[in-house]
Amino acid sequence: MKKSSEELTNVIIMFDPLIHHWLHHYQLSTHHNDYQDHLQEMRLELLRLYQKFEGDPLNCIDHRYQFIAYAGKGLKWFLLNRLRQSTYQVTPTDPVILSDLIEELREECSKESIFLLEQTVKDHLKERERKIFNLILQGKWRNREICQLCNISERTLRNDKKRIAAKLGHLFKEKSKNLSFSCRF
């Protein structure tokens, strides 16, 4: 069903904060060279997602919640694909979600390995330890940055790394014979 231009304008007005959320999440400020290009392309993608969505998010609250989830995921992947094609290095501001890391590694690892790692981490690590472990796996963050993201001191980070190594060391026994697992953290 073709939507009216007034309806499409209302969609942009109502769901524009969702676009700005993802731009901010990937550290694209208004000063970024391609900010306006990304913003306009994401608005067009939002309208495409709205056209495909079966429901009325403008008038029905239940449909609105469903559309926010649907469009949020669609906009995230749309922006990620655009950024992968660009020459800029982008680091998300909220890197502590294990599922995002697993999505990135899905091509490199088998599904069984990913499932086992995810279950082991959930079973053995506390919430803060999972965040720290995820940041360490990404390999992009220095200790000071991890401390700032997790709102902890460097001493606490050292202690958490030791606990993580003790809890998950058995996963890396084969490979850690040549490496000092706890020092790697």
Side-chain angles (χ1 to χ4, degrees), residues 68-173:
I68 288 171
Y70 171 73
K73 192 165 224 129
L75 290 171
K76 172 188 174 183
W77 288 111
F78 177 80
L79 181 59
L80 278 173
N81 288 331
R82 281 188 56 86
L83 294 173
R84 285 183 185 133
Q85 295 169 0
S86 73
T87 58
Y88 299 105
Q89 180 69 25
V90 178
T91 306
T93 55
D94 185 18
V96 293
I97 302 171
L98 184 62
S99 60
D100 286 349
L101 176 66
I102 289 171
E103 284 295 322
E104 292 173 16
L105 296 175
R106 203 164 290 283
E107 291 85 31
E108 299 172 21
C109 300
S110 69
K111 290 182 182 180
E112 295 84 14
S113 300
I114 293 169
F115 178 75
L116 289 174
L117 176 62
E118 186 178 27
Q119 291 305 312
T120 303
V121 168
K122 282 182 183 177
D123 293 343
H124 291 87
L125 299 181
K126 296 177 183 174
E127 183 179 350
R128 186 176 72 208
E129 292 170 341
R130 284 194 304 263
K131 289 179 183 178
I132 292 169
F133 181 69
N134 187 28
L135 291 169
I136 292 167
L137 280 180
Q138 288 181 0
K140 301 177 191 176
W141 307 96
R142 293 187 220 130
N143 283 346
R144 177 171 281 162
E145 294 167 326
I146 292 172
C147 291
Q148 290 173 346
L149 289 167
C150 295
N151 203 19
I152 58 174
S153 69
E154 288 190 34
R155 182 178 181 187
T156 303
L157 178 61
R158 280 193 305 272
N159 291 334
D160 283 350
K161 285 180 177 182
K162 288 177 186 175
R163 276 195 299 281
I164 292 168
K167 291 177 179 180
L168 299 180
H170 67 281
L171 294 175
F172 302 97
K173 271 195 175 155

Side-chain angles (χ1 to χ4, degrees), residues 20-96:
H20 290 283
H21 164 76
W22 287 113
L23 290 169
H24 173 73
H25 180 79
Y26 288 100
Q27 297 180 354
L28 295 170
S29 69
T30 55
H31 304 8
H32 191 275
N33 291 339
D34 296 331
Y35 181 82
Q36 289 298 322
D37 292 336
H38 290 306
L39 180 64
Q40 292 304 321
E41 289 294 327
M42 288 187 70
R43 284 179 176 157
L44 291 173
E45 181 64 17
L46 177 68
L47 294 177
R48 280 192 283 280
L49 292 168
Y50 179 71
Q51 293 280 8
K52 292 179 187 177
F53 185 74
E54 296 178 11
D56 186 14
L58 293 176
N59 299 317
C60 179
I61 292 176
D62 290 335
H63 292 180
R64 187 174 305 149
Y65 288 124
Q66 292 172 354
F67 181 73
I68 288 171
Y70 171 73
K73 192 165 224 129
L75 290 171
K76 172 188 174 183
W77 288 111
F78 177 80
L79 181 59
L80 278 173
N81 288 331
R82 281 188 56 86
L83 294 173
R84 285 183 185 133
Q85 295 169 0
S86 73
T87 58
Y88 299 105
Q89 180 69 25
V90 178
T91 306
T93 55
D94 185 18
V96 293

